[in-house]
Amino acid sequence: MRKFFSPLFILVLLALLIVNCRPNPPVFPTNPYAGWSLSDPGLQRRSLNFPLGESWDTRSRTLDQTRLETLIAINKIDGIEEIPVASPVEGEFSNLLTSIRKSFPDKVNEQFNQYLFSIYFVKNLGSSGLTGIIRYNQDPIGGIVFIDTDLLSQNANEWATAKEKTVFSFSGNEDLKVILEKPEDNNKANALAFILLHEFGHILATVEKHAPDFSLPKRDYRTFPYFKDFWISEIQSEHDQDIKDRNKIKFYSKSKIPFGESGLSLYEELEDTPFVTLYAATNADDSFSEAYASFVHIVLQGKPYEVLAIKGNESKKIFENGIIRSEGKSQKLYFNKIFGIKD
């Protein structure tokens, strides 16, 4: 017997189909650093000695008890057992800051002068650098940066290469190399300069509201223009389907990706996405910071950023920083506006 369905039944059926076919809403992970970022005593304006030095390169400070407790608190969150200490060679690195300031474009130095309140050179940090946002009445007003000098014992290219290689395992005569500087500029100062640019990117993103505040328990990136069609949450990207191993990218981890076929495929897939570097693909915050550092490094300073695959005596360029590729155009245009550059 033929059955006839009423228009109302059809509408209800269509509504159910639409609901059932709708993709699952994004899940925003709980931010473990929210309380630390908002309330840690070492991240409050009153904990710093104002007025600061006139220019940012004069604001190197020796690690004090308040800032030590700030680092211990975040290391506890991250499960890091090491206790940071003041670096015995902090003077050597502090002396590099003036030459770095002179190498930076004026606009970068203006930003650093406004928002970079202190730099601490330490050991046992757990990473090359770490940023803390300074607050006044809970509002972000600037930031401080911690740098691990033990991880800066190499020149720029060697530092960048060693960092990139922590993602991969190598066999036979496979190797990888990152070119961050020309041979004549390959020194410790320029390694430190790139790290400072990256860490400052976190400060700029928070203070000027380019990204969700680090103090928010849940961080939704979809309403921020830089992250439109790019990132959803800190760990979920709109391009997760484009890089099959993105969630396997772990720097300084025991878990490794075999470089060979898997590593080469990863860089090939990366070339077709807006991620400017491999590190930029790990999370949304580092995506912005890597883009900021890359824009200054490449667009404003005219420096290189390439990844080479090496097999025996042969080397081949397999990746070029995305800030100058068509896939990174929207990011380049975004930073053009920040720096007042006409498109």
Side-chain angles (χ1 to χ4, degrees):
M1 184 175 69
R2 183 175 296 173
K3 295 182 179 179
F4 295 92
F5 299 101
S6 70
L8 179 59
F9 177 85
I10 293 172
L11 287 173
V12 171
L13 182 62
L14 286 173
L16 288 171
L17 287 172
I18 290 171
V19 170
N20 289 333
C21 292
R22 188 176 295 165
N24 293 329
V27 176
F28 297 98
T30 299
N31 174 18
Y33 308 106
W36 175 83
S37 181
L38 183 65
S39 304
D40 187 273
L43 300 179
Q44 310 306 314
R45 185 189 186 280
R46 62 180 177 272
S47 72
L48 296 175
N49 294 322
F50 284 82
L52 306 168
E54 183 176 352
S55 60
W56 68 266
D57 57 309
T58 64
R59 299 174 187 169
S60 174
R61 302 287 184 268
T62 297
L63 185 68
D64 54 67
Q65 185 62 33
T66 301
R67 247 56 60 176
L68 172 60
E69 291 173 3
T70 295
L71 290 179
I72 292 173
I74 193 171
N75 278 2
K76 184 176 180 180
I77 296 171
D78 288 333
I80 298 174
E81 296 180 355
E82 287 88 353
I83 303 298
V85 295
S87 171
V89 292
E90 62 178 318
E92 174 190 337
F93 283 88
S94 294
N95 290 338
L96 299 175
L97 296 179
T98 298
S99 65
I100 293 172
R101 178 181 59 79
K102 291 178 179 178
S103 73
F104 279 170
D106 290 343
K107 180 63 174 179
V108 175
N109 283 320
E110 289 175 14
Q111 293 170 342
F112 272 49
N113 288 343
Q114 185 174 5
Y115 296 134
L116 181 55
F117 293 164
S118 295
I119 302 170
Y120 299 88
F121 292 103
V122 303
K123 294 176 55 176
N124 303 331
L125 183 62
S127 62
S128 296
L130 175 70
T131 297
I133 301 300
I134 298 297
R135 299 180 184 275
Y136 182 66
N137 292 335
Q138 299 190 344
D139 292 327
I141 60 171
I144 58 178
V145 171
F146 302 90
I147 302 291
D148 192 319
T149 59
D150 278 357
L151 297 179
L152 271 175
S153 59
Q154 299 169 300
N155 292 336
N157 292 341
E158 289 68 31
W159 165 78
T161 297
K163 176 183 175 181
E164 198 91 354
K165 288 175 68 173
T166 63
V167 175
F168 303 103
S169 61
F170 299 86
S171 61
N173 55 0
E174 297 173 345
D175 206 353
L176 171 155
K177 184 176 183 180
V178 178
I179 304 297
L180 196 63
E181 294 285 351
K182 297 175 182 178
E184 60 270 25
D185 298 319
N186 185 29
N187 52 51
K188 288 183 182 179
N190 283 329
L192 175 57
F194 194 87
I195 294 173
L196 286 171
L197 288 172
H198 173 93
E199 297 302 327
F200 184 79
H202 291 304
I203 298 173
L204 188 74
T206 304
V207 176
E208 296 196 345
K209 303 187 187 316
H210 300 292
D213 197 308
F214 281 106
S215 67
L216 295 173
K218 305 280 186 180
R219 304 174 71 214
D220 185 346
Y221 290 76
R222 295 172 298 174
T223 60
F224 292 82
Y226 174 83
F227 297 97
K228 180 177 172 55
D229 299 325
F230 192 9
W231 286 94
I232 299 169
S233 71
E234 185 177 356
I235 59 174
Q236 183 181 358
S237 169
E238 298 280 7
H239 296 274
D240 282 350
Q241 300 302 316
D242 300 327
I243 305 179
K244 68 180 190 308
D245 285 339
R246 191 188 73 78
N247 291 326
K248 295 181 182 179
I249 302 171
K250 307 290 183 185
F251 283 77
Y252 306 108
S253 170
K254 294 180 180 178
S255 176
K256 308 290 184 183
I257 298 174
F259 182 67
E261 184 176 343
S262 296
L264 295 176
S265 295
L266 178 57
Y267 281 108
E268 185 176 345
E269 292 168 352
L270 200 64
E271 285 270 7
D272 295 327
T273 69
F275 302 114
V276 297
T277 65
L278 185 66
Y279 198 56
T282 57
N283 63 76
D285 295 310
D286 284 319
S287 204
F288 183 93
S289 287
E290 281 288 280
Y292 174 85
S294 298
F295 184 89
V296 175
H297 182 80
I298 298 168
V299 177
L300 299 186
Q301 294 184 291
K303 295 187 175 188
Y305 192 117
E306 301 174 350
V307 179
L308 308 179
I310 300 171
K311 192 152 190 174
N313 295 323
E314 297 182 359
S315 65
K316 177 184 178 181
K317 182 170 74 172
I318 58 172
F319 182 76
E320 192 169 29
N321 191 292
I323 203 72
I324 55 174
R325 288 187 279 107
S326 60
E327 291 79 9
K329 183 179 179 180
S330 63
Q331 296 180 80
K332 184 174 180 289
L333 293 176
Y334 191 89
F335 285 103
N336 277 348
K337 293 179 181 178
I338 288 177
F339 283 91
I341 299 171
K342 293 183 179 180
D343 300 336

